[in-house]
Amino acid sequence: MSDSEELRWQGDLALIADAAKEAGAVAFGFFNQSPEVWWKNDDRSPVSAADFAANKTLESILRNARPDYGWLSEETEDDADRLARETVFIIDPIDGTRAFLGGQKVWCVSVAVVHRGRPVAGVLYAPALEELYEAVEGGVALKNGVPFTVSAAGPEEMSRLAIGEDLLKTFPPAFRERVRREKYIPSLAYRIAMVADGRLDGTFVKGNSHDWDLAAADLILACAGGRLVDLDGEPIVYNRAEVTHKVLCAAPAPRIDEFLAAFAGRRDS
């Protein structure tokens, strides 16, 4: 990475951090206030007035500041113009809308800058928890300004995994015996951040996650010493025509192969 690119991404990080905090404040104004709710994706997914308000705030700040960047947000109609842009914003104004609407604090604003398919600046802001995660390509991961890294636990220790009980039952017995299954975390982005800051040793992500769920958390995890990969061990490429993904694994880099091997050894594979 050149010095000019480093400065550019640092500037973008400052921009998206400020924008995420503003959008988070807007969303927090709706928290526990019973905002209006609609349903999308064949009535499977809720979206609220808070999602739209936070999205509007982000779009106003970011698109005015970087008019040459593309735009991909969960709450904005997709525009194929983004595919012609080397650099795009990838946004989820509220990751964890169900938690938000249920009065749970585990939801966050997710904002990433993606360049040539990979995130170069990323922010997760969880207003109800007063937590700000930040990362820039080549840098360290920060939580409220303090550097952090993934768990240093090895395969001989108990692994704290965020994984569905039904899925875990299919894993090899020797692997299951060393797993402590953690309770469900409603925000996918925040769950990956928990792997990044060492509260989890890993997680498997079900198929059908989206670019906006993952991009910022992916970079934060990478800068903390972890990896988010598909079942072939390959990193995600963002800003493609298809923005959904198959099963993924997030873990400290030294343990990715161990978890992928356990997944491959399931009874139903």
Side-chain angles (χ1 to χ4, degrees):
M1 181 170 56
S2 67
D3 290 345
S4 62
E5 280 189 324
E6 184 176 356
L7 287 172
R8 178 183 173 186
W9 308 143
Q10 287 284 0
D12 282 355
L13 179 63
L15 170 68
I16 65 174
D18 287 344
K21 286 186 279 190
E22 286 204 37
V26 169
F28 194 69
F30 290 85
F31 190 49
N32 287 325
Q33 299 299 314
S34 301
E36 189 171 1
V37 176
W38 300 268
W39 291 85
K40 59 184 182 178
N41 300 327
D42 298 324
D43 293 335
R44 294 192 307 270
S45 304
V47 59
S48 74
D51 295 83
F52 290 133
N55 191 66
K56 183 177 180 181
T57 299
L58 290 165
E59 193 163 7
S60 175
I61 296 169
L62 297 176
R63 299 193 86 167
N64 285 327
R66 301 286 190 271
D68 56 325
Y69 284 16
W71 181 265
L72 175 63
S73 169
E74 181 174 14
E75 310 307 348
T76 304
E77 185 175 353
D78 196 9
D79 184 349
D81 171 75
R82 65 180 172 80
L83 298 173
R85 307 293 181 115
E86 277 200 329
T87 310
V88 298
F89 292 115
I90 297 186
I91 308 293
D92 193 342
I94 299 179
D95 187 82
T97 298
R98 288 180 185 273
F100 177 92
L101 295 173
Q104 300 176 60
K105 294 183 177 182
V106 183
W107 55 272
C108 60
V109 180
S110 174
V111 185
V113 176
V114 167
H115 181 67
R116 296 177 181 173
R118 289 295 299 163
V120 292
V123 168
L124 298 176
Y125 178 50
L129 298 171
E130 299 182 342
E131 294 176 353
L132 177 69
Y133 290 84
E134 303 171 84
V136 66
E137 184 184 28
V140 299
L142 300 174
K143 180 179 180 180
N144 292 347
V146 179
F148 62 86
T149 61
V150 293
S151 167
E156 70 284 351
E157 300 177 57
M158 291 294 291
S159 296
R160 299 158 298 170
L161 295 188
I163 184 172
E165 186 173 8
D166 289 346
L167 177 59
L168 181 60
K169 286 179 180 177
T170 68
F171 277 65
F175 181 83
R176 293 201 311 269
E177 290 168 1
R178 293 182 286 103
V179 170
R180 187 174 77 215
R181 195 175 73 86
E182 298 295 326
K183 66 179 182 180
Y184 175 69
I185 297 132
S187 163
L188 174 53
Y190 192 84
R191 189 198 324 164
I192 295 171
M194 290 176 66
V195 179
D197 70 16
R199 284 180 288 169
L200 292 173
D201 294 301
T203 188
F204 288 93
V205 179
K206 292 180 180 179
N208 206 40
S209 60
H210 296 78
D211 278 12
W212 49 74
D213 303 312
L214 304 168
D218 186 344
L219 180 63
I220 291 164
L221 176 61
C223 290
R227 294 180 68 204
L228 176 65
V229 299
D230 64 19
L231 295 181
D232 294 321
E234 296 298 321
I236 298 170
V237 178
Y238 296 95
N239 194 37
R240 291 177 165 178
E242 178 54 65
V243 300
T244 59
H245 302 276
K246 296 182 180 180
V247 176
L248 305 170
C249 179
R255 302 195 67 185
I256 280 286
D257 289 346
E258 170 198 347
F259 293 141
L260 292 180
F263 191 95
R266 293 174 303 137
R267 288 196 309 267
D268 61 346
S269 62

